[in-house]
Amino acid sequence: FELVAEMGDKPCFLYRDPSQSLLESLPPDPLQMIQATELLFFSALFSAEDGDVNGAINKLITGLKFTPLAAREGTLIAFLISLAETRILSQPLGEICRGRALDDGDLVRLMSIQDNGPWRDRLAAAFRGERVLFVEVGGYSLKGSFEDLGSIFEGPSWWRNLGLWIVRPLLKRDMRQALPSFEFLETQAKVPYYQSREVLRARDLQIKERPWYAFLSKMLLGNSETAFMKEAQLEAIMLASRAGLACRLYKSRNGSYPETLDALVPGILTEVPIDPFTGKPLVYRREGEGFIIYSLGSNQKDDGGRSTYMITQLVMDKDDDWTWKEDK
């Protein structure tokens, strides 16, 4: 935890050695990093349950300053690890805050760390890095030093050499055709998910239908729409959390929760939060003395704020509204 705090306070940080190529660099260990983040979350939760709410908030803020760092590595796997870590700390934030007294300073601090804005730029940077990695892998393959290239041909060495001689021009063709896809993905990363979703799915289908020799582009381009959806999920969680905290700040200043999210603008929020899955404002309504606010999630259906987090949204249609709720 001390190392997490130290790294989170650095103006810049890289997990990998930047003097090495992306192909030579070891990716961050996802299991260890995610387990450490889970431990930090439970430490914050136990602090809150023991009455040390300020200590819990400090731990969450420390973690949320650290978790975006891996996204700077310039690869998609590092971005997804960073995304998962941030989600671990952001998703249950409401459970720690609900029903516990927070002063205005704490609310503002937590709002400031729930900033969804940079994540699209981080996704764009990841695809820029993936383009570099694609060229590096292609270079090794063209030199015949990449074992997977030779393994697609079985039989005597002369047959393998002939196969490599035949496939190299096709590999170059695959690379030329695939490189513009990375620029396309980088551009789409900066577009709200609800605007790019169908275009991304159509493009992923085209990648799957590419000819047999396009194994390199199929391997490194794959199902990119999943990464965009996961980024949108984090955006939805952060937007709901930030709006929920803003509603609590509004009540602290005005004595009651707002009747609509418009009341938060411009005094507390700069704009009404827009659901990245629908392009419409987050759902907000008063419920008794409290309120509920949520994104409709990847199924784009109003499930009433119900959330089933242990799901694979691309496989099964589940309730996956991303919610912040206060009972009073």
Side-chain angles (χ1 to χ4, degrees), residues 33-34 37 64 66-72 75-91 115-116 118-120 122-123 126 224-238:
M33 295 183 75
I34 289 174
T37 305
L64 288 168
F66 166 75
T67 54
L69 296 179
R72 301 178 185 175
T75 62
L76 192 57
I77 182 61
F79 172 83
L80 292 173
I81 294 170
S82 181
L83 201 73
E85 289 185 291
T86 305
R87 182 167 157 176
I88 287 170
L89 296 179
S90 295
Q91 185 172 311
D115 184 6
N116 65 294
W119 283 98
R120 292 182 199 171
R122 291 165 183 158
L123 180 57
S224 59
E225 195 263 336
T226 303
F228 285 81
M229 185 191 70
K230 290 182 178 297
E231 190 279 332
Q233 287 175 344
L234 181 61
E235 274 196 48
I237 293 167
M238 287 187 151

mmCIF file of all heavy atoms in Angstrom, residues 33-34 37 64 66-72 75-91 115-116 118-120 122-123 126 224-238:
data_model
loop_
_atom_site.group_PDB
_atom_site.id
_atom_site.type_symbol
_atom_site.label_atom_id
_atom_site.label_comp_id
_atom_site.label_asym_id
_atom_site.label_seq_id
_atom_site.Cartn_x
_atom_site.Cartn_y
_atom_site.Cartn_z
ATOM 1 N N MET A 33 -1.600 -7.486 -9.680
ATOM 2 C CA MET A 33 -2.064 -6.101 -9.601
ATOM 3 C C MET A 33 -3.527 -6.032 -9.165
ATOM 4 O O MET A 33 -3.914 -5.210 -8.323
ATOM 5 C CB MET A 33 -1.851 -5.400 -10.938
ATOM 6 C CG MET A 33 -0.391 -5.261 -11.315
ATOM 7 S SD MET A 33 -0.110 -4.366 -12.848
ATOM 8 C CE MET A 33 -0.433 -2.690 -12.329
ATOM 9 N N ILE A 34 -4.353 -6.899 -9.712
ATOM 10 C CA ILE A 34 -5.776 -6.888 -9.359
ATOM 11 C C ILE A 34 -5.974 -7.360 -7.925
ATOM 12 O O ILE A 34 -6.801 -6.802 -7.180
ATOM 13 C CB ILE A 34 -6.569 -7.744 -10.362
ATOM 14 C CG1 ILE A 34 -6.619 -7.015 -11.717
ATOM 15 C CG2 ILE A 34 -7.983 -8.018 -9.856
ATOM 16 C CD1 ILE A 34 -7.238 -7.805 -12.828
ATOM 17 N N THR A 37 -5.195 -4.528 -5.630
ATOM 18 C CA THR A 37 -6.271 -3.544 -5.634
ATOM 19 C C THR A 37 -7.467 -4.037 -4.820
ATOM 20 O O THR A 37 -8.103 -3.264 -4.091
ATOM 21 C CB THR A 37 -6.710 -3.236 -7.074
ATOM 22 O OG1 THR A 37 -5.566 -2.829 -7.828
ATOM 23 C CG2 THR A 37 -7.740 -2.123 -7.102
ATOM 24 N N LEU A 64 -7.211 5.142 -6.411
ATOM 25 C CA LEU A 64 -7.712 5.668 -7.679
ATOM 26 C C LEU A 64 -6.732 6.635 -8.341
ATOM 27 O O LEU A 64 -6.879 6.952 -9.513
ATOM 28 C CB LEU A 64 -9.071 6.342 -7.465
ATOM 29 C CG LEU A 64 -10.213 5.356 -7.203
ATOM 30 C CD1 LEU A 64 -11.464 6.080 -6.713
ATOM 31 C CD2 LEU A 64 -10.527 4.553 -8.459
ATOM 32 N N PHE A 66 -3.541 5.681 -8.306
ATOM 33 C CA PHE A 66 -2.569 4.710 -8.795
ATOM 34 C C PHE A 66 -3.087 3.894 -9.980
ATOM 35 O O PHE A 66 -2.356 3.639 -10.939
ATOM 36 C CB PHE A 66 -2.191 3.759 -7.651
ATOM 37 C CG PHE A 66 -1.474 2.523 -8.101
ATOM 38 C CD1 PHE A 66 -0.141 2.575 -8.486
ATOM 39 C CD2 PHE A 66 -2.125 1.301 -8.159
ATOM 40 C CE1 PHE A 66 0.522 1.437 -8.916
ATOM 41 C CE2 PHE A 66 -1.475 0.164 -8.586
ATOM 42 C CZ PHE A 66 -0.142 0.226 -8.961
ATOM 43 N N THR A 67 -4.354 3.488 -9.935
ATOM 44 C CA THR A 67 -4.849 2.508 -10.908
ATOM 45 C C THR A 67 -4.782 2.970 -12.372
ATOM 46 O O THR A 67 -4.630 2.111 -13.253
ATOM 47 C CB THR A 67 -6.285 2.071 -10.580
ATOM 48 O OG1 THR A 67 -7.145 3.228 -10.458
ATOM 49 C CG2 THR A 67 -6.326 1.300 -9.273
ATOM 50 N N PRO A 68 -4.871 4.266 -12.704
ATOM 51 C CA PRO A 68 -4.745 4.636 -14.127
ATOM 52 C C PRO A 68 -3.330 4.521 -14.686
ATOM 53 O O PRO A 68 -3.139 4.622 -15.901
ATOM 54 C CB PRO A 68 -5.212 6.107 -14.154
ATOM 55 C CG PRO A 68 -5.978 6.308 -12.896
ATOM 56 C CD PRO A 68 -5.319 5.408 -11.896
ATOM 57 N N LEU A 69 -2.334 4.306 -13.819
ATOM 58 C CA LEU A 69 -0.945 4.375 -14.283
ATOM 59 C C LEU A 69 -0.623 3.328 -15.340
ATOM 60 O O LEU A 69 0.097 3.597 -16.305
ATOM 61 C CB LEU A 69 0.012 4.226 -13.101
ATOM 62 C CG LEU A 69 -0.033 5.339 -12.044
ATOM 63 C CD1 LEU A 69 0.959 5.042 -10.928
ATOM 64 C CD2 LEU A 69 0.266 6.693 -12.674
ATOM 65 N N ALA A 70 -1.135 2.112 -15.168
ATOM 66 C CA ALA A 70 -0.815 1.054 -16.133
ATOM 67 C C ALA A 70 -1.334 1.381 -17.523
ATOM 68 O O ALA A 70 -0.797 0.903 -18.524
ATOM 69 C CB ALA A 70 -1.383 -0.285 -15.653
ATOM 70 N N ALA A 71 -2.382 2.218 -17.600
ATOM 71 C CA ALA A 71 -2.941 2.584 -18.904
ATOM 72 C C ALA A 71 -1.960 3.393 -19.739
ATOM 73 O O ALA A 71 -2.162 3.559 -20.943
ATOM 74 C CB ALA A 71 -4.236 3.376 -18.714
ATOM 75 N N ARG A 72 -0.890 3.897 -19.124
ATOM 76 C CA ARG A 72 0.108 4.673 -19.860
ATOM 77 C C ARG A 72 1.142 3.788 -20.554
ATOM 78 O O ARG A 72 2.020 4.297 -21.252
ATOM 79 C CB ARG A 72 0.832 5.621 -18.906
ATOM 80 C CG ARG A 72 -0.094 6.609 -18.182
ATOM 81 C CD ARG A 72 0.705 7.466 -17.221
ATOM 82 N NE ARG A 72 -0.141 8.352 -16.428
ATOM 83 C CZ ARG A 72 0.310 9.136 -15.456
ATOM 84 N NH1 ARG A 72 1.599 9.145 -15.169
ATOM 85 N NH2 ARG A 72 -0.520 9.907 -14.769
ATOM 86 N N THR A 75 -0.132 -0.405 -24.326
ATOM 87 C CA THR A 75 -0.647 -1.650 -24.880
ATOM 88 C C THR A 75 -2.069 -1.858 -24.387
ATOM 89 O O THR A 75 -2.456 -1.358 -23.327
ATOM 90 C CB THR A 75 0.207 -2.865 -24.477
ATOM 91 O OG1 THR A 75 0.168 -3.005 -23.044
ATOM 92 C CG2 THR A 75 1.638 -2.718 -24.936
ATOM 93 N N LEU A 76 -2.825 -2.627 -25.142
ATOM 94 C CA LEU A 76 -4.220 -2.846 -24.783
ATOM 95 C C LEU A 76 -4.348 -3.684 -23.521
ATOM 96 O O LEU A 76 -5.230 -3.431 -22.692
ATOM 97 C CB LEU A 76 -4.945 -3.530 -25.945
ATOM 98 C CG LEU A 76 -6.476 -3.586 -25.850
ATOM 99 C CD1 LEU A 76 -7.073 -2.190 -25.709
ATOM 100 C CD2 LEU A 76 -7.054 -4.287 -27.073
ATOM 101 N N ILE A 77 -3.467 -4.669 -23.328
ATOM 102 C CA ILE A 77 -3.558 -5.503 -22.135
ATOM 103 C C ILE A 77 -3.316 -4.671 -20.882
ATOM 104 O O ILE A 77 -4.002 -4.825 -19.868
ATOM 105 C CB ILE A 77 -2.573 -6.701 -22.213
ATOM 106 C CG1 ILE A 77 -2.719 -7.593 -20.985
ATOM 107 C CG2 ILE A 77 -1.144 -6.241 -22.370
ATOM 108 C CD1 ILE A 77 -4.080 -8.213 -20.813
ATOM 109 N N ALA A 78 -2.338 -3.763 -20.924
ATOM 110 C CA ALA A 78 -2.077 -2.902 -19.772
ATOM 111 C C ALA A 78 -3.257 -1.964 -19.526
ATOM 112 O O ALA A 78 -3.623 -1.697 -18.375
ATOM 113 C CB ALA A 78 -0.793 -2.102 -19.983
ATOM 114 N N PHE A 79 -3.864 -1.464 -20.601
ATOM 115 C CA PHE A 79 -5.043 -0.603 -20.456
ATOM 116 C C PHE A 79 -6.177 -1.364 -19.779
ATOM 117 O O PHE A 79 -6.840 -0.830 -18.876
ATOM 118 C CB PHE A 79 -5.493 -0.105 -21.825
ATOM 119 C CG PHE A 79 -6.801 0.631 -21.801
ATOM 120 C CD1 PHE A 79 -6.857 1.976 -21.475
ATOM 121 C CD2 PHE A 79 -7.987 -0.032 -22.090
ATOM 122 C CE1 PHE A 79 -8.075 2.652 -21.435
ATOM 123 C CE2 PHE A 79 -9.203 0.632 -22.059
ATOM 124 C CZ PHE A 79 -9.249 1.978 -21.728
ATOM 125 N N LEU A 80 -6.414 -2.602 -20.185
ATOM 126 C CA LEU A 80 -7.517 -3.378 -19.621
ATOM 127 C C LEU A 80 -7.261 -3.720 -18.154
ATOM 128 O O LEU A 80 -8.198 -3.759 -17.342
ATOM 129 C CB LEU A 80 -7.740 -4.646 -20.441
ATOM 130 C CG LEU A 80 -8.282 -4.418 -21.853
ATOM 131 C CD1 LEU A 80 -8.310 -5.721 -22.639
ATOM 132 C CD2 LEU A 80 -9.675 -3.784 -21.810
ATOM 133 N N ILE A 81 -5.998 -3.977 -17.797
ATOM 134 C CA ILE A 81 -5.658 -4.194 -16.386
ATOM 135 C C ILE A 81 -5.967 -2.938 -15.582
ATOM 136 O O ILE A 81 -6.574 -2.984 -14.510
ATOM 137 C CB ILE A 81 -4.174 -4.586 -16.243
ATOM 138 C CG1 ILE A 81 -3.917 -5.951 -16.881
ATOM 139 C CG2 ILE A 81 -3.759 -4.606 -14.772
ATOM 140 C CD1 ILE A 81 -2.443 -6.293 -17.003
ATOM 141 N N SER A 82 -5.533 -1.801 -16.100
ATOM 142 C CA SER A 82 -5.781 -0.519 -15.441
ATOM 143 C C SER A 82 -7.281 -0.263 -15.276
ATOM 144 O O SER A 82 -7.749 0.188 -14.234
ATOM 145 C CB SER A 82 -5.134 0.602 -16.251
ATOM 146 O OG SER A 82 -5.327 1.852 -15.654
ATOM 147 N N LEU A 83 -8.025 -0.572 -16.319
ATOM 148 C CA LEU A 83 -9.470 -0.400 -16.303
ATOM 149 C C LEU A 83 -10.101 -1.272 -15.221
ATOM 150 O O LEU A 83 -10.962 -0.814 -14.446
ATOM 151 C CB LEU A 83 -10.027 -0.767 -17.672
ATOM 152 C CG LEU A 83 -11.400 -0.237 -18.070
ATOM 153 C CD1 LEU A 83 -11.325 1.245 -18.376
ATOM 154 C CD2 LEU A 83 -11.906 -0.991 -19.300
ATOM 155 N N ALA A 84 -9.678 -2.536 -15.151
ATOM 156 C CA ALA A 84 -10.240 -3.461 -14.172
ATOM 157 C C ALA A 84 -9.937 -3.003 -12.744
ATOM 158 O O ALA A 84 -10.804 -3.061 -11.861
ATOM 159 C CB ALA A 84 -9.684 -4.869 -14.404
ATOM 160 N N GLU A 85 -8.711 -2.523 -12.515
ATOM 161 C CA GLU A 85 -8.349 -2.050 -11.176
ATOM 162 C C GLU A 85 -9.193 -0.841 -10.763
ATOM 163 O O GLU A 85 -9.678 -0.764 -9.626
ATOM 164 C CB GLU A 85 -6.877 -1.659 -11.164
ATOM 165 C CG GLU A 85 -5.909 -2.802 -11.256
ATOM 166 C CD GLU A 85 -4.500 -2.291 -11.107
ATOM 167 O OE1 GLU A 85 -4.013 -1.600 -12.019
ATOM 168 O OE2 GLU A 85 -3.891 -2.567 -10.076
ATOM 169 N N THR A 86 -9.351 0.089 -11.686
ATOM 170 C CA THR A 86 -10.133 1.292 -11.376
ATOM 171 C C THR A 86 -11.584 0.932 -11.101
ATOM 172 O O THR A 86 -12.230 1.500 -10.207
ATOM 173 C CB THR A 86 -10.042 2.291 -12.537
ATOM 174 O OG1 THR A 86 -8.663 2.572 -12.814
ATOM 175 C CG2 THR A 86 -10.760 3.593 -12.200
ATOM 176 N N ARG A 87 -12.087 -0.028 -11.846
ATOM 177 C CA ARG A 87 -13.469 -0.462 -11.643
ATOM 178 C C ARG A 87 -13.653 -1.122 -10.276
ATOM 179 O O ARG A 87 -14.680 -0.938 -9.622
ATOM 180 C CB ARG A 87 -13.849 -1.428 -12.762
ATOM 181 C CG ARG A 87 -15.270 -1.934 -12.701
ATOM 182 C CD ARG A 87 -15.605 -2.609 -14.009
ATOM 183 N NE ARG A 87 -16.691 -3.551 -13.861
ATOM 184 C CZ ARG A 87 -17.240 -4.216 -14.859
ATOM 185 N NH1 ARG A 87 -16.784 -4.047 -16.083
ATOM 186 N NH2 ARG A 87 -18.225 -5.061 -14.656
ATOM 187 N N ILE A 88 -12.664 -1.879 -9.817
ATOM 188 C CA ILE A 88 -12.737 -2.530 -8.513
ATOM 189 C C ILE A 88 -12.943 -1.503 -7.406
ATOM 190 O O ILE A 88 -13.702 -1.737 -6.455
ATOM 191 C CB ILE A 88 -11.459 -3.350 -8.257
ATOM 192 C CG1 ILE A 88 -11.453 -4.607 -9.134
ATOM 193 C CG2 ILE A 88 -11.332 -3.742 -6.787
ATOM 194 C CD1 ILE A 88 -10.131 -5.341 -9.137
ATOM 195 N N LEU A 89 -12.286 -0.353 -7.529
ATOM 196 C CA LEU A 89 -12.390 0.671 -6.491
ATOM 197 C C LEU A 89 -13.579 1.608 -6.703
ATOM 198 O O LEU A 89 -14.104 2.162 -5.740
ATOM 199 C CB LEU A 89 -11.099 1.493 -6.434
ATOM 200 C CG LEU A 89 -9.837 0.735 -6.032
ATOM 201 C CD1 LEU A 89 -8.638 1.663 -6.048
ATOM 202 C CD2 LEU A 89 -9.989 0.100 -4.657
ATOM 203 N N SER A 90 -14.015 1.784 -7.951
ATOM 204 C CA SER A 90 -15.091 2.737 -8.241
ATOM 205 C C SER A 90 -16.473 2.119 -8.095
ATOM 206 O O SER A 90 -17.403 2.768 -7.601
ATOM 207 C CB SER A 90 -14.936 3.285 -9.665
ATOM 208 O OG SER A 90 -13.758 4.032 -9.795
ATOM 209 N N GLN A 91 -16.613 0.877 -8.506
ATOM 210 C CA GLN A 91 -17.937 0.252 -8.539
ATOM 211 C C GLN A 91 -18.597 0.189 -7.164
ATOM 212 O O GLN A 91 -19.778 0.507 -7.029
ATOM 213 C CB GLN A 91 -17.827 -1.149 -9.150
ATOM 214 C CG GLN A 91 -19.146 -1.858 -9.341
ATOM 215 C CD GLN A 91 -18.953 -3.139 -10.123
ATOM 216 O OE1 GLN A 91 -18.315 -3.164 -11.169
ATOM 217 N NE2 GLN A 91 -19.488 -4.222 -9.604
ATOM 218 N N ASP A 115 -13.142 10.859 -12.315
ATOM 219 C CA ASP A 115 -13.052 11.615 -13.563
ATOM 220 C C ASP A 115 -12.987 10.645 -14.735
ATOM 221 O O ASP A 115 -11.967 10.000 -14.974
ATOM 222 C CB ASP A 115 -11.818 12.519 -13.538
ATOM 223 C CG ASP A 115 -11.717 13.408 -14.755
ATOM 224 O OD1 ASP A 115 -12.661 13.411 -15.570
ATOM 225 O OD2 ASP A 115 -10.701 14.109 -14.898
ATOM 226 N N ASN A 116 -14.083 10.544 -15.478
ATOM 227 C CA ASN A 116 -14.116 9.619 -16.608
ATOM 228 C C ASN A 116 -13.466 10.197 -17.866
ATOM 229 O O ASN A 116 -13.173 9.464 -18.819
ATOM 230 C CB ASN A 116 -15.557 9.243 -16.938
ATOM 231 C CG ASN A 116 -16.361 10.446 -17.414
ATOM 232 O OD1 ASN A 116 -16.597 11.378 -16.657
ATOM 233 N ND2 ASN A 116 -16.786 10.428 -18.665
ATOM 234 N N PRO A 118 -10.435 11.284 -18.986
ATOM 235 C CA PRO A 118 -9.197 10.838 -19.656
ATOM 236 C C PRO A 118 -9.250 9.422 -20.218
ATOM 237 O O PRO A 118 -8.338 9.041 -20.961
ATOM 238 C CB PRO A 118 -8.157 10.904 -18.524
ATOM 239 C CG PRO A 118 -8.768 11.735 -17.442
ATOM 240 C CD PRO A 118 -10.235 11.512 -17.554
ATOM 241 N N TRP A 119 -10.257 8.639 -19.891
ATOM 242 C CA TRP A 119 -10.191 7.222 -20.248
ATOM 243 C C TRP A 119 -10.294 6.979 -21.749
ATOM 244 O O TRP A 119 -9.690 6.042 -22.278
ATOM 245 C CB TRP A 119 -11.252 6.434 -19.481
ATOM 246 C CG TRP A 119 -10.811 6.223 -18.073
ATOM 247 C CD1 TRP A 119 -11.178 6.960 -16.977
ATOM 248 C CD2 TRP A 119 -9.879 5.250 -17.598
ATOM 249 N NE1 TRP A 119 -10.534 6.507 -15.851
ATOM 250 C CE2 TRP A 119 -9.730 5.454 -16.202
ATOM 251 C CE3 TRP A 119 -9.153 4.227 -18.214
ATOM 252 C CZ2 TRP A 119 -8.878 4.666 -15.427
ATOM 253 C CZ3 TRP A 119 -8.306 3.439 -17.444
ATOM 254 C CH2 TRP A 119 -8.178 3.659 -16.065
ATOM 255 N N ARG A 120 -11.020 7.795 -22.466
ATOM 256 C CA ARG A 120 -11.068 7.605 -23.928
ATOM 257 C C ARG A 120 -9.714 7.917 -24.552
ATOM 258 O O ARG A 120 -9.281 7.235 -25.490
ATOM 259 C CB ARG A 120 -12.149 8.502 -24.538
ATOM 260 C CG ARG A 120 -13.560 8.105 -24.151
ATOM 261 C CD ARG A 120 -14.574 8.997 -24.837
ATOM 262 N NE ARG A 120 -15.866 8.952 -24.166
ATOM 263 C CZ ARG A 120 -16.880 9.758 -24.438
ATOM 264 N NH1 ARG A 120 -16.742 10.679 -25.377
ATOM 265 N NH2 ARG A 120 -18.012 9.659 -23.778
ATOM 266 N N ARG A 122 -6.894 7.472 -23.045
ATOM 267 C CA ARG A 122 -6.036 6.348 -22.684
ATOM 268 C C ARG A 122 -6.286 5.154 -23.597
ATOM 269 O O ARG A 122 -5.351 4.439 -23.963
ATOM 270 C CB ARG A 122 -6.271 5.967 -21.218
ATOM 271 C CG ARG A 122 -5.770 7.020 -20.237
ATOM 272 C CD ARG A 122 -6.313 6.821 -18.847
ATOM 273 N NE ARG A 122 -5.872 7.892 -17.952
ATOM 274 C CZ ARG A 122 -6.472 8.240 -16.824
ATOM 275 N NH1 ARG A 122 -7.564 7.587 -16.440
ATOM 276 N NH2 ARG A 122 -6.004 9.223 -16.090
ATOM 277 N N LEU A 123 -7.544 4.935 -23.971
ATOM 278 C CA LEU A 123 -7.850 3.854 -24.905
ATOM 279 C C LEU A 123 -7.242 4.144 -26.275
ATOM 280 O O LEU A 123 -6.686 3.250 -26.924
ATOM 281 C CB LEU A 123 -9.363 3.679 -25.015
ATOM 282 C CG LEU A 123 -9.862 2.576 -25.966
ATOM 283 C CD1 LEU A 123 -9.289 1.221 -25.580
ATOM 284 C CD2 LEU A 123 -11.385 2.524 -25.976
ATOM 285 N N ALA A 126 -3.661 3.357 -26.172
ATOM 286 C CA ALA A 126 -3.429 1.909 -26.185
ATOM 287 C C ALA A 126 -3.427 1.376 -27.612
ATOM 288 O O ALA A 126 -2.599 0.521 -27.963
ATOM 289 C CB ALA A 126 -4.495 1.202 -25.348
ATOM 290 N N SER A 224 -12.126 -6.091 -30.822
ATOM 291 C CA SER A 224 -11.812 -4.815 -30.181
ATOM 292 C C SER A 224 -13.027 -4.163 -29.543
ATOM 293 O O SER A 224 -12.892 -3.364 -28.613
ATOM 294 C CB SER A 224 -11.191 -3.858 -31.201
ATOM 295 O OG SER A 224 -12.078 -3.631 -32.275
ATOM 296 N N GLU A 225 -14.224 -4.484 -30.007
ATOM 297 C CA GLU A 225 -15.426 -3.840 -29.465
ATOM 298 C C GLU A 225 -15.580 -4.111 -27.973
ATOM 299 O O GLU A 225 -16.114 -3.292 -27.238
ATOM 300 C CB GLU A 225 -16.655 -4.333 -30.232
ATOM 301 C CG GLU A 225 -17.907 -3.484 -30.005
ATOM 302 C CD GLU A 225 -18.815 -4.067 -28.944
ATOM 303 O OE1 GLU A 225 -18.751 -5.280 -28.718
ATOM 304 O OE2 GLU A 225 -19.584 -3.295 -28.348
ATOM 305 N N THR A 226 -15.072 -5.259 -27.514
ATOM 306 C CA THR A 226 -15.147 -5.581 -26.088
ATOM 307 C C THR A 226 -14.404 -4.543 -25.256
ATOM 308 O O THR A 226 -14.874 -4.132 -24.193
ATOM 309 C CB THR A 226 -14.563 -6.981 -25.827
ATOM 310 O OG1 THR A 226 -15.262 -7.940 -26.609
ATOM 311 C CG2 THR A 226 -14.696 -7.360 -24.368
ATOM 312 N N ALA A 227 -13.230 -4.108 -25.723
ATOM 313 C CA ALA A 227 -12.463 -3.105 -24.991
ATOM 314 C C ALA A 227 -13.237 -1.792 -24.907
ATOM 315 O O ALA A 227 -13.246 -1.130 -23.862
ATOM 316 C CB ALA A 227 -11.110 -2.882 -25.659
ATOM 317 N N PHE A 228 -13.895 -1.412 -25.991
ATOM 318 C CA PHE A 228 -14.685 -0.184 -25.990
ATOM 319 C C PHE A 228 -15.855 -0.299 -25.010
ATOM 320 O O PHE A 228 -16.186 0.656 -24.303
ATOM 321 C CB PHE A 228 -15.207 0.109 -27.397
ATOM 322 C CG PHE A 228 -14.168 0.634 -28.341
ATOM 323 C CD1 PHE A 228 -13.288 -0.223 -28.976
ATOM 324 C CD2 PHE A 228 -14.063 1.993 -28.593
ATOM 325 C CE1 PHE A 228 -12.319 0.251 -29.848
ATOM 326 C CE2 PHE A 228 -13.104 2.490 -29.466
ATOM 327 C CZ PHE A 228 -12.229 1.619 -30.094
ATOM 328 N N MET A 229 -16.501 -1.472 -24.973
ATOM 329 C CA MET A 229 -17.619 -1.658 -24.068
ATOM 330 C C MET A 229 -17.169 -1.582 -22.609
ATOM 331 O O MET A 229 -17.829 -0.966 -21.768
ATOM 332 C CB MET A 229 -18.301 -2.995 -24.328
ATOM 333 C CG MET A 229 -19.563 -3.202 -23.495
ATOM 334 S SD MET A 229 -20.201 -4.882 -23.569
ATOM 335 C CE MET A 229 -18.943 -5.764 -22.649
ATOM 336 N N LYS A 230 -16.016 -2.190 -22.307
ATOM 337 C CA LYS A 230 -15.512 -2.151 -20.934
ATOM 338 C C LYS A 230 -15.159 -0.721 -20.523
ATOM 339 O O LYS A 230 -15.382 -0.324 -19.373
ATOM 340 C CB LYS A 230 -14.304 -3.081 -20.791
ATOM 341 C CG LYS A 230 -14.666 -4.556 -20.881
ATOM 342 C CD LYS A 230 -13.450 -5.427 -20.693
ATOM 343 C CE LYS A 230 -13.814 -6.914 -20.740
ATOM 344 N NZ LYS A 230 -14.729 -7.299 -19.648
ATOM 345 N N GLU A 231 -14.604 0.042 -21.460
ATOM 346 C CA GLU A 231 -14.309 1.452 -21.151
ATOM 347 C C GLU A 231 -15.603 2.213 -20.879
ATOM 348 O O GLU A 231 -15.671 3.035 -19.957
ATOM 349 C CB GLU A 231 -13.545 2.080 -22.315
ATOM 350 C CG GLU A 231 -12.969 3.453 -22.038
ATOM 351 C CD GLU A 231 -13.977 4.577 -22.164
ATOM 352 O OE1 GLU A 231 -14.941 4.421 -22.951
ATOM 353 O OE2 GLU A 231 -13.831 5.600 -21.478
ATOM 354 N N ALA A 232 -16.650 1.929 -21.663
ATOM 355 C CA ALA A 232 -17.943 2.582 -21.456
ATOM 356 C C ALA A 232 -18.548 2.202 -20.110
ATOM 357 O O ALA A 232 -19.196 3.029 -19.443
ATOM 358 C CB ALA A 232 -18.904 2.227 -22.587
ATOM 359 N N GLN A 233 -18.341 0.964 -19.686
ATOM 360 C CA GLN A 233 -18.836 0.541 -18.373
ATOM 361 C C GLN A 233 -18.187 1.351 -17.261
ATOM 362 O O GLN A 233 -18.864 1.796 -16.320
ATOM 363 C CB GLN A 233 -18.569 -0.947 -18.169
ATOM 364 C CG GLN A 233 -19.465 -1.858 -18.983
ATOM 365 C CD GLN A 233 -19.088 -3.320 -18.835
ATOM 366 O OE1 GLN A 233 -17.989 -3.648 -18.363
ATOM 367 N NE2 GLN A 233 -19.982 -4.203 -19.234
ATOM 368 N N LEU A 234 -16.871 1.533 -17.354
ATOM 369 C CA LEU A 234 -16.193 2.335 -16.336
ATOM 370 C C LEU A 234 -16.692 3.772 -16.375
ATOM 371 O O LEU A 234 -16.904 4.398 -15.326
ATOM 372 C CB LEU A 234 -14.682 2.290 -16.537
ATOM 373 C CG LEU A 234 -13.879 3.090 -15.505
ATOM 374 C CD1 LEU A 234 -14.109 2.548 -14.104
ATOM 375 C CD2 LEU A 234 -12.392 3.079 -15.842
ATOM 376 N N GLU A 235 -16.878 4.322 -17.573
ATOM 377 C CA GLU A 235 -17.431 5.671 -17.679
ATOM 378 C C GLU A 235 -18.784 5.753 -16.970
ATOM 379 O O GLU A 235 -19.060 6.705 -16.234
ATOM 380 C CB GLU A 235 -17.616 6.054 -19.146
ATOM 381 C CG GLU A 235 -16.397 6.640 -19.817
ATOM 382 C CD GLU A 235 -16.746 7.351 -21.113
ATOM 383 O OE1 GLU A 235 -17.701 8.152 -21.105
ATOM 384 O OE2 GLU A 235 -16.080 7.106 -22.127
ATOM 385 N N ALA A 236 -19.646 4.755 -17.207
ATOM 386 C CA ALA A 236 -20.982 4.762 -16.603
ATOM 387 C C ALA A 236 -20.893 4.713 -15.086
ATOM 388 O O ALA A 236 -21.623 5.428 -14.382
ATOM 389 C CB ALA A 236 -21.793 3.581 -17.134
ATOM 390 N N ILE A 237 -20.007 3.859 -14.567
ATOM 391 C CA ILE A 237 -19.829 3.753 -13.118
ATOM 392 C C ILE A 237 -19.361 5.078 -12.544
ATOM 393 O O ILE A 237 -19.875 5.567 -11.530
ATOM 394 C CB ILE A 237 -18.826 2.634 -12.787
ATOM 395 C CG1 ILE A 237 -19.413 1.268 -13.167
ATOM 396 C CG2 ILE A 237 -18.460 2.651 -11.313
ATOM 397 C CD1 ILE A 237 -18.388 0.158 -13.161
ATOM 398 N N MET A 238 -18.367 5.695 -13.191
ATOM 399 C CA MET A 238 -17.823 6.954 -12.680
ATOM 400 C C MET A 238 -18.838 8.083 -12.773
ATOM 401 O O MET A 238 -18.956 8.911 -11.854
ATOM 402 C CB MET A 238 -16.552 7.312 -13.446
ATOM 403 C CG MET A 238 -15.359 6.463 -13.090
ATOM 404 S SD MET A 238 -13.840 7.069 -13.868
ATOM 405 C CE MET A 238 -12.625 6.541 -12.661
#
